[in-house]
Amino acid sequence: MRLLAVDHPLVAHKLTVLRNAKTDSPTFRRLADELVTLLAYEATREARVDTVEIETPVAPTTGVKLSSPKPLIVPILRAGLGMLDGMARLVPTAEVGFLGMIRDEDTLQATTYATRLPDDLTGRQCYVLDPMLATGGTLAAAVRFLVDRGADDITAVCLLAAPEGVQHLEDETRELGVPVTVVTAAVDERLNEKGYIVPGLGDAGDRLYGVVD
């Protein structure tokens, strides 16, 4: 597994505002969207392309276009929805699938409650959107789900990661035989006893959309 923590002043600035408990939901949503676009730039460096011959107004030349099958963006509901526009803005031709997963707050285990994905992902590059790589259970389950359907290259885009989650994801995906990359704005100090990232930014879903009982 490859881990990339993006070191850039704009990423650090936007992340600082997201961390601030005083940042309201509308501002949080806007900055999360902007931050994801910056992370997506790095996440798509290995996007597959084909060469194509074109005519400029001056002369013929060779360029590239995204290969087929199209990349698939997979936000993990619900918090991953707050990252979708930022990613799709950079890769507008990508298709979008949805994966609903929930973490049991007692056991910290992830279960799937909804899917909207192609049955066959053979040959597809997938970009999974999950704001917080905390315990790593949710993301590991999502990666296994996509690999089981044939995905052969998976990149996870996360706002924040914890060392424990990174290690768990690496352990869980090592034997899959599929390249997995994590692109994040920062790797924080640790998890607390409730499985939250420290210092983190709180519950990303609640900060994006408010608390829903």
Side-chain angles (χ1 to χ4, degrees):
M1 188 186 85
R2 187 169 70 99
L3 173 68
L4 174 61
V6 178
D7 182 16
H8 192 285
L10 290 180
V11 170
H13 166 74
K14 294 178 190 300
L15 180 57
T16 299
V17 181
L18 289 177
R19 290 187 190 274
N20 192 334
K22 296 180 180 179
T23 299
D24 59 24
S25 288
T27 304
F28 191 96
R29 285 194 295 270
R30 176 176 58 80
L31 287 174
D33 178 78
E34 294 173 0
L35 179 54
V36 170
T37 299
L38 294 174
L39 297 178
Y41 179 81
E42 296 295 339
T44 53
R45 281 189 178 275
E46 302 300 323
R48 296 168 183 163
V49 295
D50 295 323
T51 58
V52 59
E53 301 299 321
I54 63 168
E55 293 278 347
T56 79
V58 178
T61 190
T62 302
V64 299
K65 64 176 182 178
L66 290 178
S67 300
S68 294
K70 295 177 180 178
L72 183 70
I73 301 172
V74 184
I76 296 180
L77 305 177
R78 71 176 167 144
L81 284 176
M83 305 171 69
L84 177 57
D85 286 348
M87 186 75 189
R89 182 180 301 112
L90 203 65
V91 196
T93 58
E95 295 180 345
V96 179
F98 298 93
L99 188 56
M101 309 192 81
I102 190 168
R103 185 180 75 166
D104 186 293
E105 294 303 324
D106 295 323
T107 66
L108 303 183
Q109 297 299 308
T111 56
T112 302
Y113 66 86
T115 60
R116 186 68 175 178
L117 293 165
D119 291 331
D120 185 6
L121 296 176
T122 301
R124 299 290 287 268
Q125 282 186 300
C126 295
Y127 296 91
V128 182
L129 309 181
D130 192 11
M132 312 298 282
L133 174 50
T135 65
T138 299
L139 193 51
V143 169
R144 287 195 299 270
F145 191 97
L146 296 173
V147 171
D148 286 345
R149 293 202 175 189
D152 67 354
D153 189 291
I154 298 173
T155 298
V157 181
C158 307
L159 301 182
L160 283 178
E164 297 93 330
V166 171
Q167 186 61 56
H168 180 75
L169 181 62
E170 184 169 18
D171 292 342
E172 290 293 309
T173 60
R174 185 177 292 118
E175 304 301 324
L176 293 179
V178 169
V180 176
T181 300
V182 175
V183 178
T184 183
V187 179
D188 273 7
E189 297 172 11
R190 58 183 174 86
L191 295 179
N192 65 15
E193 64 282 358
K194 294 183 178 181
Y196 282 86
I197 299 175
V198 179
L201 50 75
D203 186 294
D206 288 350
R207 298 203 63 191
L208 281 163
Y209 304 117
V211 179
V212 179
D213 294 329

